[in-house]
């Protein structure tokens, strides 16, 4: 008994961990889910990765991680939800999981009710958006109140909830990989870039309108919007209307986005809300001068000190965005200073340090 307690305290207890996520494609939550799975299996845990929505596999999984895709054949929306929820609960139980870590909420409802294993949740988006829909709000409150721990990305996200949920809330930032390049200070391209899902949430209309103003003053710059999503055609049409289609590119998803960042001039993210943007954190760590909206639930503000290691602008403020772009384009010394300061985030969000925090959470739950 003493040896077991000592192993738990030291974080050495081996466990069977089920991880539930959307899939393994290009989403920020999926990136963290895959890193978590790979880390857990590397330190001796047995890991099952359950992909609930997408069979696409763009992120790497260690060959030791067991993988299951919750395929479904039902046409009715409610029946699809029931099918996915049943499969998640069944797989957690079949794996004989000591603990489950879920990046989803609704689809773990059955597993929570049936108590097939303790479930640690990780919220990766703005909680206000989750609670906007009544059904989502119900599932969220039910599951989070019964969870031994909920991992949040920001303090504001944690503090959004009731005392009972906050008591079990842990704030852990997103991990940064150790192989990130550094910004090419001397020979970077005159480009403004972003990397995100092309969705309404990202407010790409603000990005494009702000760049259109900026391009009139700095015609040497181009805009590159990396990513995939439903807003692509609408944004391409907006570029045509603004007559900037010749200087705006939509290269799609890039596996070499970090190298792209290191050679670019400015990184911009104009979201209306975010969980905690991986691409923003990576741009800061690379040292690429960064401009972001100060959007809820406070992820950008938690890591960017305006004018010191990056630039913050109000949500939806095109003019503020335009002026910040001009400040960076006109002041190389400011860019250099911000770049050196922002790179310090590498130590704060070192992948091993962040994953050790995750491991301590699940160990404490079992303990």
């Amino acid at each position: 008994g003493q040896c077991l307690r000592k192993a738990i305290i030291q974080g050495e207890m081996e466990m069977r961990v089920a991880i539930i996520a959307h899939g393994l494609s290009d989403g920020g939550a999926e990136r963290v889910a895959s890193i978590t799975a790979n880390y857990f299996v590397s330190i001796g845990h047995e890991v099952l990765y359950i992909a609930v929505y997408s069979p696409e596999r763009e992120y790497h999984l260690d060959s030791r991680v067991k993988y299951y895709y919750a395929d479904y054949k039902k046409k009715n929306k409610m029946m699809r939800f029931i099918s996915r929820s049943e499969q998640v609960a069944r797989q957690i139980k079949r794996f004989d999981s000591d603990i489950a870590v879920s990046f989803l909420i609704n689809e773990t409802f059955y597993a929570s009710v049936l108590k097939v294993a303790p479930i640690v949740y990780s919220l990766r988006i703005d909680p206000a958006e989750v609670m906007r829909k009544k059904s989502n709000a119900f599932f969220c409150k039910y599951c989070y109140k019964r969870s031994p721990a909920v991992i949040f990305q920001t303090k504001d996200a944690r503090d959004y909830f009731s005392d009972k949920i906050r008591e079990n809330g842990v704030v852990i930032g997103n991990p940064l990989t150790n192989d990130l390049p550094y910004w090419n200070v001397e020979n970077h391209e005159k480009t403004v870039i972003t990397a995100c899902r092309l969705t309404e949430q990202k407010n790409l209309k603000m990005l494009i309108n702000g760049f259109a103003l900026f391009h009139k003053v700095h015609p040497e710059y181009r805009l590159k919007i990396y990513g995939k999503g439903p807003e692509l055609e609408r944004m391409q049409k907006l570029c045509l209307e603004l007559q900037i289609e010749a200087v705006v590119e939509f290269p799609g998803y890039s596996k070499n986005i970090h190298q792209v960042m290191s050679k670019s001039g400015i990184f911009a993210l104009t979201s209306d809300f975010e969980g905690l943007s991986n691409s923003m954190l990576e741009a800061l760590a690379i040292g690429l001068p960064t401009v972001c909206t100060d959007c809820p639930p406070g992820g950008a503000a938690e890591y960017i000190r305006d004018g010191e290691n990056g630039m913050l602008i109000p949500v939806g403020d095109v003019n503020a965005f335009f002026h910040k772009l001009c400040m960076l384009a006109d002041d190389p010394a400011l860019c250099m200073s911000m770049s050196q300061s922002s790179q310090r985030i590498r130590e704060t969000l070192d992948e091993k340090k962040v994953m050790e925090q995750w491991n301590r959470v699940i160990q404490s739950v079992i303990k």
Side-chain angles (χ1 to χ4, degrees):
Q2 288 181 346
C3 291
L4 178 58
R5 283 193 293 273
K6 183 179 178 183
I8 294 173
I9 291 168
Q10 293 176 343
E12 297 173 353
M13 184 177 178
E14 295 181 7
M15 293 177 290
R16 298 174 71 85
V17 184
I19 293 178
I20 305 103
H22 188 284
L24 277 168
S25 55
D26 60 344
E30 293 163 277
R31 171 187 170 273
V32 177
S34 64
I35 290 173
T36 305
N38 292 336
Y39 176 78
F40 282 170
V41 82
S42 75
I43 60 173
H45 299 321
E46 292 186 57
V47 180
L48 168 66
Y49 193 102
I50 304 173
V52 176
Y53 280 93
S54 171
E56 293 182 28
R57 301 183 63 169
E58 294 176 351
Y59 290 124
H60 168 72
L61 267 190
D62 189 298
S63 60
R64 293 169 291 181
V65 176
K66 296 177 175 63
Y67 174 85
Y68 177 83
Y69 170 53
D71 197 5
Y72 51 90
K73 308 296 184 183
K74 311 294 183 182
K75 293 183 178 181
N76 179 275
K77 184 177 181 180
M78 178 57 71
M79 294 304 296
R80 289 199 300 269
F81 167 73
I82 292 172
S83 174
R84 288 192 292 257
S85 301
E86 288 177 338
Q87 288 184 71
V88 168
R90 190 183 308 121
Q91 290 303 315
I92 293 173
K93 188 173 182 179
R94 281 183 179 173
F95 190 58
D96 194 21
S97 306
D98 295 302
I99 192 167
V101 177
S102 182
F103 291 79
L104 303 174
I105 302 171
N106 300 5
E107 293 75 10
T108 58
F109 178 68
Y110 279 13
S112 180
V113 170
L114 297 172
K115 298 181 179 179
V116 293
I119 304 175
V120 171
Y121 288 91
S122 182
L123 182 65
R124 316 307 293 182
I125 61 174
D126 180 9
E129 292 300 315
V130 175
M131 306 299 275
R132 194 181 299 277
K133 189 176 179 181
K134 287 185 179 180
S135 59
N136 291 343
F138 167 78
F139 287 124
C140 183
K141 290 177 182 178
Y142 180 92
C143 293
Y144 280 16
K145 284 180 179 179
R146 287 155 181 79
S147 174
V150 182
I151 296 175
F152 297 99
Q153 295 171 294
T154 69
K155 297 182 182 69
D156 286 354
R158 178 198 61 195
D159 294 345
Y160 177 91
F161 290 95
S162 65
D163 290 345
K164 182 173 176 58
I165 294 173
R166 283 203 301 268
E167 286 172 6
N168 292 328
V170 183
V171 178
I172 303 178
N174 291 0
L176 291 169
T177 57
N178 299 319
D179 58 352
L180 292 173
Y182 288 91
W183 186 44
N184 189 330
V185 180
E186 301 296 332
N187 297 309
H188 58 266
E189 300 171 354
K190 301 289 186 181
T191 52
V192 176
I193 73 161
T194 194
C196 62
R197 283 278 298 161
L198 308 187
T199 61
E200 191 173 346
Q201 165 201 346
K202 305 298 181 179
N203 200 347
L204 296 170
K205 182 178 179 180
M206 174 183 168
L207 174 74
I208 292 170
N209 281 325
F211 177 80
L213 294 174
F214 173 69
H215 186 259
K216 292 177 182 177
V217 182
H218 286 278
E220 71 276 17
Y221 274 81
R222 300 178 65 87
L223 174 62
K224 295 185 179 181
I225 300 174
Y226 286 86
K228 301 182 294 184
E231 287 285 282
L232 175 59
E233 289 187 14
R234 198 161 74 93
M235 293 305 104
Q236 289 174 327
K237 184 178 178 181
L238 178 60
C239 292
L240 285 168
E241 292 172 358
L242 295 172
Q243 298 182 337
I244 57 171
E245 72 279 2
V247 293
V248 180
E249 298 177 33
F250 294 86
Y253 174 74
S254 172
K255 292 184 177 180
N256 299 314
I257 191 62
H258 300 147
Q259 294 299 328
V260 172
M261 286 181 174
S262 70
K263 299 173 183 177
S264 301
I266 299 170
F267 176 84
L269 193 68
T270 53
S271 301
D272 291 334
F273 60 91
E274 282 282 348
L276 177 59
S277 168
N278 285 305
S279 59
M280 176 199 73
L281 295 177
E282 289 160 354
L284 291 171
I286 288 168
L288 176 58
T290 297
V291 183
C292 286
T293 45
D294 185 8
C295 62
E302 199 147 315
Y303 291 95
I304 293 178
R305 299 178 300 280
D306 186 39
E308 183 179 335
N309 68 341
M311 296 288 195
L312 289 175
I313 52 175
V315 172
D317 194 331
V318 173
N319 286 326
F321 178 47
F322 160 66
H323 288 300
K324 294 288 189 179
L325 290 177
C326 289
M327 285 177 64
L328 293 174
D330 294 335
D331 195 342
L334 174 62
C335 291
M336 172 72 78
S337 174
M338 283 175 44
S339 176
Q340 292 173 345
S341 182
S342 70
Q343 290 172 21
R344 295 173 192 149
I345 199 174
R346 289 175 181 245
E347 184 175 350
T348 305
L349 296 178
D350 173 75
E351 183 177 302
K352 184 179 179 182
K353 287 183 180 179
V354 172
M355 286 297 104
E356 284 173 350
Q357 294 178 60
W358 277 77
N359 192 43
R360 284 195 291 272
V361 170
I362 68 166
Q363 295 283 355
S364 69
V365 169
I366 298 299
K367 176 183 172 183

